[in-house]
Amino acid sequence: MAATVPLGLVPTPLYSRLDALSRAKAWTGWAGYISPVVLDTAEFEYFAIRNQATLFDVSPMHKYRITGPDAEAVVNRLVTRDVRRIGDGRVGYAMWCDEAGMLIDDGTIFRFSAQDFRLCCQEPMSGWLRDACWGFDVALEDESDTTAGIALQGPTSFSLLAEAGLGAAAMLKPFDMAVIEPGLLISRTGFTGDLGYELWCDRDRVAALWDRLWAAGAQWGVRAVGAEALNLCRIEAGFIAAGVDFQPVHGALRLHRGRSPLELGFGKLVHFDKGHFNGRRALLRQHETGCAHHLRRIDIAGFKPAQGALIYHRKKKEVGHVTSGVWSPTTKRNIALAEFRAPFGKDITDDLWVEIYVSQEGQWDRRIVPLAIVDAPFFRHARARATPPGPF
Amino acid sequence: MPRDAFDVVLLGGGHNGLSAAITLARKGRSVCVLERGDRTGGMARSTQIALGVEAPEVAHLLYNLGPRVARELGVADLLETPPLPTVSLAPDGRHVVIEGDAARFADGTAHPDARAFTELSARLRRFAGILARLSLKPPPELDGGLTDMATLGELAGLARLGIDLKRLGRRELREFLRIVLGNAADLVLDEMPDGPLAGALCADAVRGNHVGPRSPGTVFNLMYRLGNGGAPRLPRGGMGALGEALERAARAAGADIRTGCEVARIMVADDRVTGVELRGGAVIAARAVLSSAGPLQTMVMAGVGHFDIEPLRRLRNLRCKGTVAKVNLLLRGAPAVTGLPDDMAPARLLVAPSVQAVERAFNPVKYDELPVAPVLEAVLHPPAGDGRCVLSVNVQHIPHTPAGGWDDAARDGLTGRTVAQLAAHMPGLAALVETAQLLTPADIEDRFGAPGGHWHHGEMGIDQILTLRPANGLAGYRLGVRGLYLCGAATHPGGDVTGLPGRNAARQLLGDGII
Ligand SMILES: Cc1cc2nc3c(=O)[nH]c(=O)nc-3n(C[C@H](O)[C@H](O)[C@H](O)COP(=O)(O)OP(=O)(O)OC[C@H]3O[C@@H](n4cnc5c(N)ncnc54)[C@H](O)[C@@H]3O)c2cc1C
């Protein structure tokens, strides 16, 4: 038989490395690829992210390249923020919406030049981007399967890079990117809120890159991590996750399940003054008439993680729920992202309560605990911004 | 210096552009109609087929211009002509004559299915009248929620439709719902055997669209035609006179009408229309632009980046395969029709001998091939002074571009087949032909810009009517950019010479308070 399409999840080019390291054998599917949930234990991996250096396989990310004379116009019409304000050689976090202003997905935009962009995101976006490019002088290439990536995160991540002979990355400020070696793009980006980098190269070179980082990392405490530890960190950093804190509107079957960037608290990334972008008119209307929901960071009393808990006003009226809730080991707070029905969460922020169910060896208990709304990310560290980064 | 700033620019001087211009100018707005052709009227204009002889270039009959709109537009007097009888030509010479709800044989004898026909057509007309009410307004959008005045107005309209439907009575209502989305072949053949009478009904049900009598939605199309009575009519002075009268009415109301002006670009700033740029670079400022060019073409002229991705995608996928060609024959003298008394001459002649023949003629177009025996609608126009006369023919089920392209052989073949089909009933016709003009759907697209050369600028199908015309979310004539509207046949209620899209769009613009 001729070439066949593999059934089920397919290995990324790093699967052999990960499998050799995995004690937990806990895998999940990510965009069709095999991806680790945990390799050792989530706690070990979490503390490695916060104290050492960690590697995470981001090859499954969807990557799209948009090039040509109209590339900037296409991307600016696609996303809500003004990509003309992102410098060449910079990366920007961005959101894109449907015609009703509801979030389709979020991701990072790599701006190589006004004529060359890469979009990195969780959801497959080929069809949507093809439609977005129609009528413009651009070429669209799906690089998802040809470009692989490794996220290197943690306070010693720069030291590890230097050790691996990639010290030239020292000059990268947060959200900078540069080709550090032929065929190796490094961006100072990540999902942890800490010092960190993402390394991008051709799929067939990524295993060698992994080995090089691994070898250099011994004295910097390098560890491989899975999605669970990363999830803890992203909540601490205050980042939202698709399918968890919002439902990507193209995948939502029911009416009114979509949420807008304004509702998710990203008004700063909606630049109404840049000209037309998808969903602008709907978002402008919402901007004028008010949001139906507010996603907020909250700090909850006690220490029991509040994932999925309902939120009440005056302990009576149900006004929202927790979308992501964890005990944060670093900040020692019970933190969460929560969605409120407007005006709660914005205009009404006091007398709000979380109802948490806890099981103590089969005995269920219900606790009503107060919450406080928090503006800043839960976890922030100066080392994440220092350039050149310290050795630690 | 001609004036270069107006409240409204009408992009396109077809009859809908003119209807919009009249409606707006009468309300005191300054209006400029820009038409790229050398005459207004669009697909309803006339053309000089020979020195001193005018022929309807494309559309050749009125079946859908309602008296109310004609009065509003100031052209009601043109409609004071008797309706034309329809003659469904029969291969055996027993032609069927249809006048209103009555059918008989051409020799005056009774048709065995006359009663069934009368009942069916009366029923359809009653249903059609209800749908026609919906055509006088933008279709309901209902997206404002119940606290919105506009939505409440729409609901009131819908409630009226509901009341109209209720008044039908239970049995009739059930019948309406049973047939409205169905196909014409089943409807007609339930009531009468196949033959020229059934064929005529089905020819009317498919005319203009990429369908056969067995395609769903053809009953709706038939009702659409019947919405304003459905009696075919030549306006006083011929088809061209209508466009001229509309142009006169627009000028009288103060509109500035310019032919030979092609709009190259619609200018947008800060999400508002600011005017248009003509080919050649001249700029005309306007606070609103109403376009009767195709919806996608309009977006492209404004720059697709000004629109959301979804509506653009919907319009890119608008179904608009033109399927009707126009053949105009200049004849040295009036032909006689075998089996038809001479005084029947000003009639609408159909070649649609049976439902099966109509369905069969539809088959090849699916594969971009030409039908062997196309369905025809022919009108013999009153002779010019010298006895020469024009026979204009709508040839149904012709592909936009046949598989091998429109080379001379394909063109001559189509004209030849059309003449041959008619010559079967008009002996000696071929010898009478002095000039034959053919406009294929591709020609029509080139000449008028109608998307796909489509009769309605976009297929009239269940997925593209009412709130879905031209596409989901665009039924209110607005295109998103403030001040930019569609006003041509692609919008609600659809094509034919009705004046409705133009008039409705103009009223929507006035209602939106933009100018
Ligand atoms: C073969 C055929 C036969 C038909 N027969 C009949 C019939 O007998 N009876 C009937 O009721 N209907 C008939 N129709 C349908 C009817 O002709 C149309 O539905 C109707 O004329 C549409 O009117 P409109 O004003 O919306 O558009 P159009 O008549 O198409 O007018 C659009 C105008 O815009 C102009 N334009 C386009 N782009 C530009 C630009 N960029 N700048 C400036 N001007 C521009 C065009 O030149 C054109 O004049 C027929 C259609 C076809 C194809």
Side-chain angles (χ1 to χ4, degrees):
Chain A
M1 250 179 52
T4 52
V5 177
L7 283 180
L9 297 178
V10 296
T12 75
L14 295 174
Y15 177 72
S16 61
R17 309 298 192 274
L18 294 168
D19 190 36
L21 293 168
S22 175
R23 290 191 202 148
K25 301 293 179 208
W27 307 97
T28 185
W30 176 11
Y33 286 105
I34 303 169
S35 176
V37 181
V38 180
L39 292 162
D40 189 344
T41 71
E43 289 76 13
F44 267 135
E45 292 169 17
Y46 167 82
F47 283 109
I49 297 174
R50 288 288 177 237
N51 296 303
Q52 298 149 230
T54 56
L55 301 183
F56 180 67
D57 178 10
V58 291
S59 305
M61 285 291 263
H62 286 278
K63 299 159 260 345
Y64 300 94
R65 197 69 172 253
I66 299 165
T67 51
D70 290 340
E72 186 179 72
V74 164
V75 179
N76 230 10
R77 193 271 214 113
L78 178 74
V79 303
T80 61
R81 68 181 285 178
D82 191 347
V83 301
R84 291 172 307 187
R85 297 192 220 159
I86 299 176
D88 290 353
R90 297 276 296 164
V91 183
Y93 173 68
M95 299 183 141
W96 50 100
C97 298
D98 71 356
E99 59 186 331
M102 297 299 137
L103 192 58
I104 294 171
D105 202 3
D106 61 346
T108 43
I109 288 178
F110 291 63
R111 181 185 168 118
F112 298 98
S113 74
Q115 306 203 354
D116 189 359
F117 290 82
R118 177 185 284 162
L119 187 68
C120 244
C121 56
Q122 301 268 346
E123 301 280 312
M125 213 53 61
S126 247
W128 181 247
L129 292 179
R130 246 199 321 276
D131 283 338
C133 290
W134 189 90
F136 290 90
D137 187 0
V138 289
L140 171 68
E141 195 191 336
D142 185 343
E143 299 182 324
S144 304
D145 292 338
T146 51
T147 301
I150 299 171
L152 164 63
Q153 304 279 309
T156 63
S157 50
F158 174 71
S159 302
L160 188 155
L161 275 186
E163 185 86 27
L166 298 168
M171 83 304 182
L172 294 178
K173 292 191 287 296
F175 294 106
D176 276 351
M177 61 163 167
V179 175
I180 296 295
E181 268 180 15
L184 176 61
L185 176 76
I186 301 186
S187 55
R188 189 165 165 189
T189 49
F191 212 44
T192 62
D194 209 321
L195 177 64
Y197 299 86
E198 288 171 310
L199 292 79
W200 309 94
C201 64
D202 278 355
R203 158 190 179 96
D204 31 335
R205 297 180 52 176
V206 76
L209 177 63
W210 176 283
D211 295 341
R212 179 174 170 190
L213 298 174
W214 195 259
Q219 59 167 316
W220 300 106
V222 70
R223 262 182 180 278
V225 300
E228 196 174 323
L230 203 57
N231 188 50
L232 265 168
C233 296
R234 72 96 190 159
I235 298 170
E236 287 183 336
F239 295 134
I240 60 172
V244 180
D245 303 297
F246 72 95
Q247 303 305 318
V249 69
H250 281 172
L253 298 179
R254 296 171 181 81
L255 267 182
H256 309 306
R257 291 297 193 270
R259 295 292 180 262
S260 81
L262 307 179
E263 293 177 317
L264 296 172
F266 288 85
K268 280 203 178 111
L269 287 184
V270 180
H271 296 154
F272 288 117
D273 59 352
K274 71 164 174 165
H276 188 66
F277 57 88
N278 220 60
R280 179 179 182 272
R281 290 170 199 128
L283 288 170
L284 203 53
R285 256 195 314 277
Q286 193 182 53
H287 179 66
E288 281 154 11
T289 59
C291 296
H293 303 91
H294 300 293
L295 186 79
R296 301 302 308 266
R297 301 188 184 108
I298 60 172
D299 190 334
I300 304 167
F303 54 86
K304 286 293 177 192
Q307 181 69 41
L310 293 177
I311 298 174
Y312 296 86
H313 183 234
R314 297 190 174 138
K315 300 193 186 177
K316 270 215 191 70
K317 182 177 174 182
E318 190 193 314
V319 297
H321 66 276
V322 169
T323 56
S324 292
V326 291
W327 169 257
S328 160
T330 300
T331 64
K332 307 281 188 267
R333 292 155 87 186
N334 195 16
I335 63 171
L337 301 176
E339 179 176 283
F340 295 87
R341 214 155 358 94
F344 299 94
K346 186 146 177 251
D347 300 320
I348 303 178
T349 54
D350 55 355
D351 216 347
L352 295 170
W353 301 80
V354 184
E355 181 184 47
I356 303 176
Y357 291 86
V358 288
S359 160
Q360 288 170 319
E361 300 190 320
Q363 182 112 341
W364 282 91
D365 191 14
R366 189 176 77 128
R367 297 184 189 164
I368 299 259
V369 293
L371 68 81
I373 299 216
V374 177
D375 283 323
F378 304 106
F379 174 82
R380 250 203 299 219
H381 203 291
R383 69 185 174 224
R385 278 172 303 281
T387 309
F392 299 103
Chain B
M1 267 288 279
R3 182 171 171 179
D4 61 3
F6 294 85
D7 291 331
V8 191
V9 155
L10 277 311
L11 193 168
H15 86 285
N16 276 317
L18 294 172
S19 301
I22 294 169
T23 309
L24 292 165
R26 292 239 173 103
K27 290 281 180 199
R29 305 305 193 273
S30 64
V31 172
C32 179
V33 180
L34 299 171
E35 166 57 46
R36 69 176 183 190
D38 56 5
R39 297 183 180 192
T40 58
M43 298 203 287
R45 74 189 180 188
S46 79
T47 181
Q48 200 171 62
I49 189 169
L51 202 63
V53 189
E54 292 281 321
E57 190 164 2
V58 183
H60 63 182
L61 279 175
L62 293 179
Y63 356 64
N64 225 341
L65 181 59
R68 172 167 163 190
V69 174
R71 262 196 318 276
E72 272 182 37
L73 298 175
V75 296
D77 55 324
L78 289 184
L79 298 189
E80 288 164 2
T81 52
L84 299 185
T86 293
V87 178
S88 188
L89 298 168
D92 63 3
R94 300 210 71 198
H95 309 315
V96 181
V97 178
I98 302 170
E99 281 167 304
D101 285 348
R104 59 178 169 85
F105 284 118
D107 60 11
T109 56
H111 193 286
D113 306 313
R115 231 186 103 181
F117 174 80
T118 302
E119 279 171 14
L120 176 61
S121 80
R123 185 153 37 107
L124 286 173
R125 229 177 279 281
R126 212 158 45 244
F127 294 158
I130 293 171
L131 288 176
R133 289 210 190 193
L134 278 182
S135 69
L136 286 165
K137 286 190 179 190
E141 293 177 290
L142 304 180
D143 57 8
L146 289 181
T147 54
D148 185 291
M149 272 316 286
T151 308
L152 286 180
E154 288 176 349
L155 275 180
L158 274 191
R160 202 150 47 230
L161 174 75
I163 292 167
D164 287 345
L165 287 170
K166 272 244 168 67
R167 272 209 203 110
L168 284 174
R170 213 192 162 93
R171 259 192 64 197
E172 286 273 80
L173 178 59
R174 199 182 312 141
E175 177 64 6
F176 175 78
L177 294 175
R178 182 179 75 86
I179 66 173
V180 65
L181 299 181
N183 75 75
D186 283 347
L187 176 78
V188 171
L189 295 178
D190 267 358
E191 307 297 335
M192 63 188 76
D194 204 355
L197 183 55
L201 278 165
C202 283
D204 283 348
V206 302
R207 179 159 306 104
N209 284 309
H210 193 269
V211 288
R214 296 209 168 278
S215 310
T218 38
V219 170
F220 180 92
N221 289 338
L222 195 53
M223 288 185 192
Y224 180 74
R225 277 285 140 64
L226 296 175
N228 288 301
R233 218 180 224 101
L234 275 174
R236 173 173 302 144
M239 257 330 254
L242 178 73
E244 287 158 23
L246 289 173
E247 182 179 325
R248 265 198 312 280
R251 282 193 201 281
D256 188 334
I257 296 179
R258 303 181 189 173
T259 53
C261 289
E262 177 168 356
V263 173
R265 212 160 65 80
I266 298 168
M267 299 184 323
V268 178
D270 283 339
D271 212 23
R272 289 166 177 271
V273 147
T274 59
V276 296
E277 185 184 314
L278 302 181
R279 178 195 281 265
V283 166
I284 296 177
R287 285 189 287 156
V289 170
L290 270 62
S291 166
S292 46
L296 179 64
Q297 290 74 1
T298 301
M299 280 192 176
V300 169
M301 278 187 264
V304 295
H306 292 297
F307 304 95
D308 285 339
I309 293 165
E310 293 94 334
L312 181 64
R313 174 176 56 200
R314 290 181 199 122
L315 293 180
R316 278 161 48 209
N317 294 309
L318 190 75
R319 294 195 298 125
C320 54
K321 289 186 178 172
T323 41
V324 186
K326 182 67 195 291
V327 173
N328 272 329
L329 302 172
L330 176 63
L331 305 178
R332 291 191 184 85
V337 180
T338 319
L340 209 61
D342 283 349
D343 62 353
M344 287 274 332
R348 180 172 80 117
L349 304 173
L350 297 183
V351 177
S354 64
V355 177
Q356 200 189 37
V358 179
E359 184 72 33
R360 182 159 288 162
F362 167 55
N363 287 340
V365 73
K366 299 181 219 168
Y367 312 103
D368 292 330
E369 289 163 7
L370 292 163
V372 178
V375 171
L376 307 179
E377 178 191 63
V379 180
L380 188 61
H381 297 270
D386 58 5
R388 291 190 296 178
C389 61
V390 171
L391 182 61
S392 69
V393 192
N394 279 339
V395 190
Q396 176 72 29
H397 296 138
I398 303 305
H400 175 275
T401 306
W406 279 119
D407 53 15
D408 284 349
R411 299 184 72 94
D412 293 347
L414 174 56
T415 310
R417 269 179 224 179
T418 304
V419 171
Q421 287 264 92
L422 289 167
H425 305 283
M426 302 175 178
L429 176 67
L432 285 177
V433 176
E434 190 178 305
T435 310
Q437 271 183 357
L438 166 67
L439 287 181
T440 67
D443 297 335
I444 290 170
E445 178 166 29
D446 281 353
R447 194 169 293 190
F448 300 95
H454 198 288
W455 176 300
H456 298 284
H457 288 199
E459 183 82 359
M460 295 281 283
I462 308 296
D463 55 332
Q464 295 187 169
I465 51 170
L466 296 167
T467 54
L468 300 178
R469 188 157 189 90
N472 188 15
L474 296 173
Y477 302 95
R478 311 176 197 94
L479 264 190
V481 173
R482 194 168 161 82
L484 183 56
Y485 289 70
L486 294 172
C487 71
T491 60
H492 175 76
D496 285 0
V497 178
T498 66
L500 282 167
R503 160 200 182 269
N504 290 357
R507 289 160 67 113
Q508 181 75 59
L509 170 68
L510 293 168
D512 287 348
I514 284 179
I515 48 158

